[in-house]
Every structure is written in structure tokens, then in C-alpha cells.
Amino acid sequence: MNKQIADLIVSSNAVFTGLSEVPVPASIAIANNRIIGIGSKEEMMAFTGETTKVYSFEDQLIMPGFHDFHLHVMDGAVAMESANLFSARSEAEALEIIRDFAESKPDEPWVIGSVWDAGYWETKQLPNRYALDLVVPDRPALMFHAEGHYAWVNSKALKIAGIDRNTENPAFGIIGKDKNGEPDGLLYEKAMGAVIKHAYNFTKEKKRELFQNFLAYAASLGVTAVHDLFATESLAILTDYGLFKEFEDRGELTTRIHLWPALDGDLERAKHLRETYQTDMLRVSGLKQFIDGVITARTAYLLEPYANQADTRGETSFPPDMIKKWVVEADKAGFSIRFHAIGDGAIRLAFDSYEEAQKANGKRDSRHSIEHVEVIHPDDIHRFKELDVTASMQPDHFAMSERGVYTERIGAEREKYVFSINTLQKAGARLAFGTDFPIDILNPLLQIYRAVTRIDSSGETVWHPHERITLAEALKAYTAGSAYGTFRENELGTLEVGKLADIAVLERNLFAIPVEEIPDTKAQLTIVDGKVVFDHTETLIQK
């Protein structure tokens, strides 16, 4: 019997299949878009033919492609071309970065920036529009906070958005005001929408260029699949599933994209989208919504008041009864649901909603998930296993917020249960990792590093060492965990014969290097659907 001829063969002394805890020497044969053989180099020679490309690595790590379980594609693509303010350690430094950036892009109608965090500034004081007016007087400016739930804008942006002292707050949104009642240039949650709809009004051509850049960036990092989650109504202007489809039709979609439009009560629209997008490369996987905001802005929903502001415990983005109703209806229609839930009150409401759906519709394999899971009440930890809910986490997030500021908000008691990755895993929660790009950079290895070290924002101190997990566990959460979270464990997430060929090769074996070198390790080769989509290697031997 004639053996199938491989298009590609990749070999290394370090292959992490995801089926064991350590890498092993192996060779992988790929034909069309699937893995057709795994074994020794000698065994895989049987699959070589005239046209087979053979990549022979020594100790570089071959592993399943990274599967980012939570990000925002087009929002991230915009951020790639924006001012990055994360390094600023004072308002003056942030303004200097903004000024330089604005001068470097004189023809852009808007000056856009992101990831500033006053928690890292010397004064810890929030900025205002007047400071921004000094460096960008002639154009509207929009600077997203590091957590993406509030923004700093200048006077021009407020004017274009029609925001003045008489503008009322939208539902689940706050227009910051100074002591005279004038807008101070800070917009929280849904109040950002009035500005974003002007700033992000891009042409189709511009969107194509942004998306192309995103795909190239993902491929260069070994990212082979992503989950594009609904990111607030105000960012919906960027949503363009048709654009993704256009790339797929041309054979230019080099990352699998799982779409999660809004859970908003409009099930007919959701069903239509699910029917329209349902291929191996581009599919609607379920629905997503926000229950709350973030800790630093005190918009995360807590069971008890904030430790340093007793008159608030945050609020839910929609009335709890409405959230539960939406869940029961969507669950009945067979949708998986994902909730942004950061505070312990929000996490409990998410569980209560999923439990209510189970009671109303019967138990089913629903694969619902909770996003971020930052401050959980210990009484709710067991519910992940009981209700079979995925814990979708981004380990680097605990190092993105200034730890002291975060802890002041929630107090010592709740601080014990912050980003409880290992505790959740031990309690039977299924973990799936991602970045929340552009809230964080797209590099998966930064998330892996935080999960295994738990080093906090100081760069030295470990935040809850008992919450560390092993390197193998972290890699599985970023591959098999994400595949399971979207019903694709039989196609993706591990390297096995018959599975889709989504593979990353890293320049070094993560299991054999000091942990501090993990974040700087680069991808060498990225294979998606059996095709090489990124190649930074000289080890190609043409047979």
C-alpha cells in the first residue's frame, strides 16, 4: 500500500505534544492540513517524497500552536499603530511620549494612545484634559487606560463627541467632571463610546491594512488561533466579520478566528451570525457580555464595598435579572456564553446565571466560561467544576496593575483570592489562557512566564507563590485548554495523528532554560492548517 506523501516534516529533540509533562524527541509529518504521522525521524522518512519540505531542528521546542482564548482583533490592530504609554512613570513622561508620537504622525486626524496607568506615576493622580491640550492642541486625542475601561481625552475630542457640562452619563458610564462641573477629560466605561465612534471611523481599506498587520504579528509569535470577543458597544464600529471572511475566501487568513458577538437578547441576530460563519478557520463560537468593569476604576462589582471607598461596591453593566434571562434563552438555543467578571459579585452572578440555565434547560455540555476571574469569593471556587465552567485567565494581568493600588482597593481579606490560578485548577476548573490584547501585548510567553513565576509589578516580589503552576500546565492552558473551551479538543490543542496541523516552533526549549528567559524566546516557525505562515529559520533542508 502506498503511504501518503507529506507536504512538510518537522523534527526536533524537544517536541511537547501536550499529552505528557515533558518534551520528547520526535518527527511530525503533515499532509494537506493535518498531521499524518508522529514518530522517529527514521519512521517519518517513509512519508517523504520529491516535494516534501523537511525542517530539522535540534533542541528547539516544537509544540501545538498558541491558542489565545481572549482578545480583540481590530481593537488590537489599531493599538499596534498607536502611542504605547505603558512605560511612563509620570504624567510628564506620558505627555512626552504622546507629543513625540503626534509629531511623528502629522497626517493622522486623531492621536490615539493606550496602556497608561496613573497607578505607576509618582503622584498616582489621574490626569486631565488640559494637560493633554498642551501637547495636542490642534487634533482630537484619545488615550485608553491600561485596562481599557476608561480613557483620557483632550478638549478637541470632547467637542467632537458633543460632551459638555450638561451631558448626562450614559447607562453604565461616567463622564468625569472637575469641581466646577466641567468635563475633566476622563470617560469611564460606556461614556467612551461618544468619542470612539468618531476616532475609529476607518475606511474599508484602512481596516484591511490593520487586519493584515494583526495576522502577520500573530504568526510571528506562534499564535495559530484566537478568540475575538465582543468588546463593548462603543468598539462595535470596528467589528467587521465580512472583512475576515474576505481574507478567508482569498486564502489569506493565517490565524483561526473564533468569533464571540454580543449576548444582548437579540438571539435572531446571533443565530444568523452562527449560520453565516461556521468554517474551520472562521466561526461563531458563542456569545460574550460584560457583567462589570475593573478594580482600579472601582467599576468591578463586589459583594462588599471597596476597602478604600465604603460608599460603592461597583455595579453590574445590566440588571442581574436581565443578564440571567439572556443566559437562559441563549443557553436554550445552544450557545456557549462568556462573561467578563472581575469582582467577586460579578463572578457569583455569572455562576448563578449558568446555574439557572442548567435548571431551566437541563444539563448539557455547554462550555460556558468566566473571563478574568480576578477577585473570587472562596465559596464560589468549587462551582467551576460543578457547573463545568472554563476559567479564562490572562496571568500577566496581575503584573499590569500596580499591586499596592490594587490591594488598597480590595483590602487584605479579598487579596488572598486574587488571580487564584493554581487554586482553581486544583479545584477542578478547566483553565484557558489568553492575553486580552490590546490590553496586554500579544506575546503568549509573557503570560506563561507570569503563570509559572507569579512575579508581580515590582519585577521581583512573588504574589502568592502557592498560585504558581508548572510550565507544562501553563502551556496546556494556552493550547488544549483553549481548544476544549470551544469544542475543538478533537481537532486542536495537542499534536496527534489526525488533528489539524497548527504548530509553533520556538527558538529554544522552554523546559531547559532559566524561567526569566521565557518571555524573550522567539518563534522560529509557525504552521497553520498545514501551511507555513511564518518562517524565521535557516534549517530548511529540501529533500
Side-chain angles (χ1 to χ4, degrees):
M1 186 179 101
N2 286 341
K3 266 209 167 167
Q4 202 173 352
I5 298 299
D7 302 320
L8 288 172
I9 291 179
V10 289
S11 311
S12 168
N13 296 324
V15 176
F16 181 73
T17 61
L19 299 172
S20 64
E21 302 306 301
V22 289
V24 293
S27 195
I28 301 168
I30 298 159
N32 298 315
N33 64 344
R34 293 194 182 264
I35 295 171
I36 58 168
I38 299 179
S40 67
K41 264 188 177 178
E42 293 68 39
E43 288 167 334
M44 292 306 103
M45 286 302 285
F47 291 100
T48 55
E50 290 293 308
T51 55
T52 305
K53 279 183 178 176
V54 178
Y55 287 85
S56 241
F57 298 98
E58 290 186 2
D59 299 315
Q60 285 101 327
L61 186 69
I62 295 177
M63 60 171 282
F66 288 108
H67 188 144
D68 192 314
F69 201 55
H70 183 130
L71 54 66
H72 311 287
V73 170
M74 293 304 290
D75 191 23
V78 174
M80 285 168 64
E81 296 193 356
S82 305
N84 188 318
L85 306 173
F86 193 59
S87 63
R89 286 297 170 265
S90 66
E91 182 179 308
E93 273 185 33
L95 290 167
E96 200 51 43
I97 294 168
I98 294 164
R99 185 203 302 273
D100 291 348
F101 178 80
E103 285 171 0
S104 75
K105 304 247 182 181
D107 301 326
E108 289 292 332
W110 281 74
V111 179
I112 298 171
S114 58
V115 293
W116 60 273
D117 187 350
Y120 283 112
W121 298 352
E122 296 148 358
T123 59
K124 302 212 182 330
Q125 293 295 308
L126 289 167
N128 62 41
R129 64 171 160 141
Y130 306 109
L132 202 44
D133 290 345
L134 292 174
V135 295
V136 191
D138 54 338
R139 285 179 281 171
L142 167 62
M143 305 293 141
F144 289 97
H145 180 263
E147 290 173 300
H149 285 249
Y150 48 114
W152 170 26
V153 301
N154 67 355
S155 300
K156 266 252 187 318
L158 289 169
K159 189 167 185 208
I160 287 171
I163 295 172
D164 60 28
R165 65 180 300 131
N166 301 314
T167 310
E168 291 193 10
N169 288 333
F172 198 66
I174 300 165
I175 297 164
K177 302 268 174 79
D178 64 21
K179 60 180 184 296
N180 302 317
E182 291 292 336
D184 61 8
L186 290 168
L187 302 172
Y188 298 86
E189 303 295 351
K190 290 183 182 174
M192 296 187 287
V195 172
I196 292 170
K197 73 177 185 194
H198 295 283
Y200 281 13
N201 191 13
F202 300 121
T203 63
K204 193 80 169 178
E205 202 39 61
K206 178 66 175 174
K207 283 186 180 178
R208 277 192 197 100
E209 179 194 313
L210 289 165
F211 185 49
Q212 184 68 59
N213 290 347
F214 170 81
L215 291 174
Y217 185 37
S220 76
L221 294 166
V223 174
T224 57
V226 302
H227 290 247
D228 185 32
L229 274 70
F230 164 71
T232 74
E233 286 90 348
S234 44
L235 287 169
I237 187 169
L238 281 178
T239 303
D240 194 339
Y241 296 168
L243 175 71
F244 302 166
K245 175 85 167 64
E246 188 187 296
F247 273 71
E248 184 188 22
D249 291 345
R250 290 204 305 263
E252 293 171 12
L253 193 58
T254 52
T255 305
R256 291 183 204 280
I257 301 185
H258 302 86
L259 306 167
W260 296 80
L263 170 74
D264 58 7
D266 187 351
L267 273 187
E268 289 315 305
R269 174 179 175 268
K271 286 175 184 170
H272 174 69
L273 288 171
R274 182 168 63 180
E275 285 158 20
T276 309
Y277 301 101
Q278 206 51 245
T279 67
D280 276 353
M281 290 299 294
L282 180 65
R283 66 172 60 174
V284 167
S285 292
L287 303 173
K288 186 253 181 162
Q289 192 47 267
F290 290 80
I291 287 182
D292 67 347
V294 291
I295 295 292
T296 63
R298 298 188 191 86
T299 53
Y301 179 57
L302 300 176
L303 293 167
E304 302 292 333
Y306 278 84
N308 63 348
Q309 194 175 327
D311 64 346
T312 184
R313 55 190 187 105
E315 59 176 327
T316 58
S317 54
F318 300 94
D321 287 350
M322 185 186 282
I323 287 171
K324 288 178 181 172
K325 179 174 177 282
W326 286 352
V327 170
V328 171
E329 289 170 354
D331 178 82
K332 192 174 184 181
F335 284 98
S336 284
I337 298 155
R338 297 171 66 175
F339 275 123
H340 166 114
I342 281 180
D344 50 12
I347 294 167
R348 182 164 293 175
L349 177 55
F351 280 132
D352 289 350
S353 304
Y354 295 152
E355 199 168 300
E356 199 154 305
Q358 231 177 57
K359 284 176 185 158
N361 305 325
K363 271 197 172 181
R364 68 180 186 92
D365 188 3
S366 55
R367 315 261 171 119
H368 299 321
S369 130
I370 296 179
E371 308 302 305
H372 312 306
V373 200
E374 288 190 16
V375 184
I376 191 168
H377 192 284
D379 292 353
D380 288 318
I381 289 169
H382 67 99
R383 299 176 80 186
F384 277 103
K385 184 166 198 274
E386 261 169 38
L387 296 166
D388 199 12
V389 172
T390 296
S392 167
M393 300 182 80
Q394 305 77 35
D396 187 50
H397 277 22
F398 71 76
M400 289 191 73
S401 297
E402 206 287 319
R403 183 173 169 183
V405 172
Y406 197 100
T407 303
E408 278 165 19
R409 298 271 192 280
I410 56 171
E413 195 48 44
R414 284 179 290 212
E415 195 267 352
K416 294 174 189 169
Y417 301 100
V418 171
F419 298 95
S420 305
I421 298 175
N422 190 37
T423 296
L424 292 179
Q425 182 174 257
K426 277 192 179 142
R430 298 177 188 274
L431 296 178
F433 284 169
T435 56
D436 202 7
F437 178 71
I439 301 303
D440 203 351
I441 60 172
L442 192 56
N443 179 9
L445 292 173
L446 188 53
Q447 308 296 331
I448 300 294
Y449 167 75
R450 294 295 176 198
V452 300
T453 65
R454 294 289 298 199
I455 288 175
D456 70 9
S457 57
S458 68
E460 293 152 16
T461 315
V462 175
W463 198 349
H464 299 333
H466 59 279
E467 293 298 355
R468 287 172 171 152
I469 58 173
T470 68
L471 177 57
E473 286 166 342
L475 291 175
K476 287 175 184 180
Y478 223 123
T479 51
S482 302
Y484 182 86
T486 189
F487 292 95
R488 302 198 74 174
E489 68 273 23
N490 295 323
E491 306 170 283
L492 301 169
T494 55
L495 302 178
E496 298 177 70
V497 173
K499 285 199 168 181
L500 293 168
D502 287 10
I503 297 172
V505 183
L506 305 182
E507 63 181 356
R508 301 173 73 193
N509 177 2
L510 302 180
F511 291 83
I513 62 173
V515 286
E516 57 271 16
E517 293 176 22
I518 289 175
D520 299 320
T521 302
K522 304 275 190 287
Q524 287 275 90
L525 187 77
T526 307
I527 298 168
V528 175
D529 215 37
K531 296 180 199 68
V532 173
V533 297
F534 173 77
D535 189 346
H536 191 67
T537 171
E538 301 303 316
T539 50
L540 174 62
I541 310 156
Q542 188 72 44
K543 289 281 175 191

